[in-house]
Amino acid sequence: TFDWTSKIDQNALRWLRKYGITNQEILDYDFRYDVQRSELILPLERPAGSGTYQRRYFGSKQDVPKYLTHGPRAHDTLFGDDKGPRCACLVEGIIDAVKVARVCTAFPILGSDPSQEVIKRLLGRFERVGVWLDPDMTLKASKAVLEASLTVDHVRVFRVSTQLDPKCYNANEIKEILGL
């Protein structure tokens, strides 16, 4: 069992607010806080803890990684799946996915190496598939998506290159960046 609370610590809440995450999104995505470990819990499946989730550390220990992913990285969770077949965007993490899902479907790859199976599934379902990761990771993932796209007709694959992560932009900026 997990000792997680829906009452988010002030430091973690401040961090979420910095990226424009709303109270409603915190509820909708079932974000939790692990008081014992000083970690924000960002689940893929709901309820929190029922599958894969990311942990974001807010404690003072220098030797603890800022992010950890628990559970299998191969998942089927799409954020904003109600946005239609026009566009999907591969992003690195869950907060990025929450932000991009405001304007189109987002898929958090939980790192920088999307599986070929996931890419082919997205390419078969969406007209356009973007890859928008941290500037230092985008090239590797873009190459994987472009390789997979060679076997799928009528899908436009594009790489998004920005100075900041997707979570740093508002909905209007994301729309403009993705050409929606």
Side-chain angles (χ1 to χ4, degrees), residues 72-133:
R73 288 175 190 254
H75 62 87
D76 293 320
T77 305
L78 292 172
F79 287 67
D81 197 21
D82 58 339
K83 303 292 190 269
R86 190 163 164 226
C87 182
C89 191
L90 296 169
V91 296
E92 186 176 351
I94 291 173
I95 297 298
D96 295 318
V98 169
K99 293 292 293 277
V100 171
R102 293 174 179 177
V103 300
C104 77
T105 302
F107 183 86
I109 61 174
L110 307 174
S112 62
D113 196 12
S115 77
Q116 287 293 304
E117 178 187 318
V118 164
I119 294 167
K120 286 179 181 174
R121 201 168 340 119
L122 289 175
L123 291 173
R125 190 166 161 210
F126 295 93
E127 296 166 20
R128 298 172 64 228
V129 175
V131 181
W132 188 5
L133 306 176

Side-chain angles (χ1 to χ4, degrees), residues 1-5 32-37 39 41 55:
T1 65
F2 300 103
D3 189 24
W4 298 344
T5 177
R32 299 294 174 129
Y33 195 78
D34 185 334
V35 177
Q36 199 130 15
R37 293 180 178 216
E39 292 176 325
I41 307 300
R55 301 174 83 98

Side-chain angles (χ1 to χ4, degrees), residues 47-83:
S50 64
T52 301
Y53 57 93
Q54 286 186 311
R55 301 174 83 98
R56 169 59 164 86
Y57 182 66
F58 285 93
S60 58
K61 295 178 185 172
Q62 298 297 315
D63 60 337
V64 177
K66 194 187 303 186
Y67 286 97
L68 282 176
T69 299
H70 291 270
R73 288 175 190 254
H75 62 87
D76 293 320
T77 305
L78 292 172
F79 287 67
D81 197 21
D82 58 339
K83 303 292 190 269

